Amino acid sequence: MQCEIEEFFPKFIGKYRYDGDQQVVKDVCDRVLKEIPDGHDEWNTNVADEGLHHFFNISNSSLLRFDERLENFEKFLLDASTHFFTEILEFELNESKMLITDCWMNYCTHEHTWQIKHNHNNCMIVGTYFVDFDEKLHAPLDFYKNTAKDQVPSMSQMRMPRIANQGNKYTKEVHQSKPEEGMLMIWNAEMLHGYEAIYNLWKGRRTISMNFLPEIVDNGKYAFKVVPLQHISPTQLNRRKGLDNNQ
């Protein structure tokens, strides 16, 4: 019997390796840990696991503005996002350019830290750069299949129970990526991702995450320009928030 599987609408992530000085990025992240203690305005814990700490993960903040030594790294992020946006997704930038609207650091303070399944909003594509990652000790980034809860009947009930990452590419519910230290991964913002505590065997997993948007969004009929909050002066920002600058 002959059989052919016709595939369509695949999910995918882009992998880009930083050919700059990775140690500079590590040094800046070390500086973050030294200068931003628990309770600082630029620090917060994850909603699901207090062992996962985030830095510069609030509005009007960016890791890239923290240290000038990240200038070459920022250029790498913009070059990679531009390639993914135009060459892979085939969007047209025309006279526009890509913006990093948010950029923050993530740090696992102990073993068995995990990240809740989530996606990103207010952006079109998302990236994570692996600063400190040991494939034998640290959890890879998992991507999750979107499931229709209103599917009747639920065909998944007919399969034998198994680990979510098992199965072939058509049936498995979780895809475990294969990151490397010094690698940037980029994907569509709506894709669900996270990682499990069972695979995080040691502390120290450190990554930098970021969101991207084109500076000008124009479909030929409607258009707008994006200005990240960290690019707006404090006076303008306070005015937009309706705050009195003299208080």
Side-chain angles (χ1 to χ4, degrees):
M1 179 177 64
Q2 292 185 341
C3 175
E4 178 183 348
I5 304 298
E6 182 174 342
E7 299 182 2
F8 54 92
F9 306 146
K11 297 290 186 181
F12 51 91
I13 55 177
K15 295 181 176 181
Y16 301 85
R17 288 168 178 80
Y18 183 44
D19 56 6
D21 192 339
Q22 297 179 29
Q23 188 58 48
V24 169
V25 181
K26 288 176 178 283
D27 290 345
V28 172
C29 291
D30 288 341
R31 182 189 165 205
V32 170
L33 295 179
K34 289 179 181 178
E35 297 185 14
I36 301 182
D38 296 3
H40 191 280
D41 287 345
E42 300 286 3
W43 167 91
N44 65 283
T45 59
N46 187 263
V47 295
D49 189 335
E50 293 185 353
L52 176 56
H53 292 190
H54 306 291
F55 302 83
F56 302 98
N57 191 22
I58 59 174
S59 296
N60 195 30
S61 183
S62 174
L63 172 65
L64 298 174
R65 306 282 78 81
F66 176 69
D67 196 305
E68 293 181 353
R69 290 176 294 172
L70 291 179
E71 182 178 356
N72 289 335
F73 179 67
E74 181 176 8
K75 183 180 183 304
F76 160 71
L77 298 178
L78 290 171
D79 288 346
S81 63
T82 299
H83 177 270
F84 189 83
F85 194 76
T86 58
E87 300 298 323
I88 308 304
L89 297 180
E90 296 188 331
F91 285 114
E92 295 182 5
L93 281 175
N94 297 319
E95 300 301 318
S96 183
K97 62 182 179 180
M98 294 304 293
L99 294 176
I100 303 171
T101 55
D102 310 278
C103 184
W104 65 98
M105 189 182 92
N106 312 291
Y107 179 60
C108 295
T109 61
H110 56 72
E111 66 273 15
H112 301 309
T113 303
W114 64 289
Q115 170 64 293
I116 192 172
K117 182 193 303 184
H118 69 288
N119 57 14
H120 294 206
N121 49 32
N122 290 355
C123 58
M124 294 181 70
I125 57 177
V126 175
T128 288
Y129 174 81
F130 292 82
V131 181
D132 294 300
F133 182 82
D134 187 326
E135 63 178 4
K136 296 179 180 178
L137 300 176
H138 296 144
L141 193 59
D142 293 340
F143 291 87
Y144 303 91
K145 178 186 291 186
N146 291 323
T147 56
K149 294 182 179 179
D150 56 351
Q151 224 174 14
V152 180
S154 176
M155 294 301 177
S156 61
Q157 301 294 330
M158 299 174 66
R159 299 195 194 111
M160 293 295 291
R162 61 190 179 195
I163 300 173
N165 194 45
Q166 290 181 338
N168 61 42
K169 61 183 178 180
Y170 305 114
T171 61
K172 69 178 183 179
E173 298 175 5
V174 179
H175 171 73
Q176 276 194 339
S177 65
K178 296 181 179 180
E180 299 173 7
E181 195 165 286
M183 175 185 287
L184 169 70
M185 290 185 176
I186 300 179
W187 61 91
N188 284 316
E190 75 276 5
M191 290 172 58
L192 293 169
H193 57 284
Y195 51 87
E196 302 297 327
I198 190 174
Y199 298 108
N200 228 8
L201 303 179
W202 196 248
K203 63 181 181 180
R205 184 187 191 275
R206 195 161 54 170
T207 61
I208 297 173
S209 297
M210 68 289 305
N211 296 330
F212 301 95
L213 271 174
E215 183 180 39
I216 298 174
V217 179
D218 187 351
N219 69 356
K221 298 181 91 174
Y222 313 108
F224 59 89
K225 184 176 182 179
V226 178
V227 181
L229 285 178
Q230 63 264 21
H231 295 175
I232 300 175
S233 71
T235 302
Q236 289 178 300
L237 185 63
N238 287 335
R239 187 181 298 121
R240 292 185 181 201
K241 290 181 178 180
L243 299 176
D244 185 353
N245 228 11
N246 296 321
Q247 291 182 357

